[in-house]
Amino acid sequence: MAKTHRKYWFRMAARSAYLLIRPSNTAALVDKSYDRISPTYDRAWTDHMRNLTEHLIDRLNPQPGNTCIDLTCGTGFATSLLAAKTDTTVTGVDRSQGMLDQARQNHAHNCKFVQADILEFLKNRPTASADIITCCWGLGYSRPFAVLRQIKRVLKPHGKVAIIDNSLFSLREIIFCSFLTFAENPRALQNVMHFKFLPGPRTLRTMFAMLNLKTLHSDQGSRSYTVDTGRDAIARLKSTGAAAGFEYASGRTDDTAIFDRFAQIIEDKYMTPDGIKVTHRYLAGIAQK
Ligand SMILES: C[S@@+](CC[C@H](N)C(=O)[O-])C[C@H]1O[C@@H](n2cnc3c(N)ncnc32)[C@H](O)[C@@H]1O
């Protein structure tokens, strides 16, 4: 007979609450994850999602000579698209040394990469100094409203902002399995991530409206892939950055017992004859000052 694993929901909730009120180490763990995966990030994530980012930049329609900033630039994919369309030097900003190393290696032409926290970077920029500011797949790691407020200040009149990001419910099936894993073993939970991914495009539009930015475009969607095993699902999530920070929830990325159990629960819940479907849900928006 299958072994029954008891769930300790109350203990897990109490442990999560305790970890949430502790000073957050989320930023350090996210940096550690992105530094680690940076050499393979483009193959794992950019190639899978590149056309979503491309469509957003096409829709944004940057003009030759526009001054652009690409926040959370990572390995520089969007930065280089902006540079090609504007034929001017574009500034990419990211905190991860590993991601910036890849960016500098692959996108030297017309791109300047700066290592900084995006909010601190924006606070130090002059008012009304940029035509275009993008933030692709990274807003939820920071404080979205504070970042958007700074973006509005830094944009010139009629300047445009474009955002694309994972939604709060992006990997809901996998996140549910992670709750089940730690509910069996609350003491194994060492780090709870302080992320602020937005629930959907409506929240982004509301933020634009609160800042008196005019929404020009808003959408949402999803992209799925199928893997053969629970372990494959976890490996893929780790290599795309979708598990950035979270992979240290139990303190170590190589915590075999926890990851084995996590993989097992994913298989128990979501295995189909075709494999396990993993779905990323995203939101996007463009607004004008
Ligand atoms: C999913 S990657 C996106 C990279 C790139 N924009 C792309 O489209 O592929 C998220 C990036 O955000 C960066 N990041 C997360 N929080 C940050 C922050 N507060 N300031 C600067 N960079 C940050 C990470 O280092 C990582 O490179």
Side-chain angles (χ1 to χ4, degrees), residues 30-31 34 41-42 45-46 53 70-78 93-96 99 116-119 135-138 141-142 166 240-241:
V30 168
D31 290 354
Y34 278 109
Y41 174 86
D42 278 342
W45 175 264
T46 312
T53 309
D70 180 30
L71 302 170
T72 68
C73 66
T75 53
F77 179 64
V93 186
D94 202 280
R95 231 177 25 208
S96 157
M99 297 293 268
D117 175 86
I118 54 169
L119 196 47
C135 187
C136 302
W137 309 105
Y141 292 122
S142 187
N166 282 293
T240 55

Side-chain angles (χ1 to χ4, degrees), residues 214-275:
K214 183 181 169 205
T215 299
L216 301 178
H217 168 74
S218 167
D219 77 70
Q220 63 187 324
S222 65
R223 180 136 304 174
S224 302
Y225 54 86
T226 304
V227 291
D228 293 335
T229 66
R231 279 169 184 273
D232 289 348
I234 294 171
R236 183 88 180 248
L237 294 174
K238 283 186 180 178
S239 66
T240 55
F246 174 75
E247 62 181 318
Y248 298 103
S250 76
R252 307 191 326 255
T253 44
D254 59 350
D255 192 332
T256 332
I258 284 290
F259 282 112
D260 283 353
R261 182 68 190 132
F262 186 17
Q264 184 61 55
I265 291 176
I266 293 173
E267 288 180 12
D268 291 350
K269 293 268 166 216
Y270 296 110
M271 181 61 84
T272 70
D274 298 327

